[in-house]
Amino acid sequence: MMPLPGPAQPLDRLNGAVIAAHEAGDGMRLAGLYGEAADRFAEDGDIASACFFYTQAYIFALEQGAPEAERYAAVLRRHGRL
């Protein structure tokens, strides 16, 4: 699995959690973790990376029927990605 890009310190823990969630097949956790990564990139002004991770969060949220899917979709629409 490719590590999450970005500032190493804050994302190291998140990267490990994403890998563990993939290994466990925990789609609900993955939706949240990808959403968290997306939020971090958005806060840093890296919209391209943020939208990549919002897309991953959106897909996992849709697969799980999670209500967060609407928030991720709204952000992607706002940036012309959906």
Side-chain angles (χ1 to χ4, degrees):
M1 165 125 346
M2 191 169 112
L4 297 173
Q9 170 63 338
L11 291 179
D12 282 346
R13 179 205 56 82
L14 188 56
N15 188 51
V18 166
I19 291 169
H22 271 289
E23 290 172 350
D26 189 345
M28 190 67 82
R29 180 89 174 115
L30 284 164
L33 291 168
Y34 280 123
E36 183 180 339
D39 290 342
R40 289 184 185 193
F41 282 100
E43 288 170 7
D44 288 342
D46 185 348
I47 299 306
S49 294
C51 285
F52 170 81
F53 287 105
Y54 281 126
T55 299
Q56 303 311 305
Y58 180 55
I59 291 166
F60 280 104
L62 283 175
E63 287 177 347
Q64 300 301 311
E68 293 84 7
E70 283 304 315
R71 179 175 84 85
Y72 302 140
V75 173
L76 289 167
R77 277 189 208 98
R78 192 167 51 247
H79 292 291
R81 307 295 173 100
L82 187 64

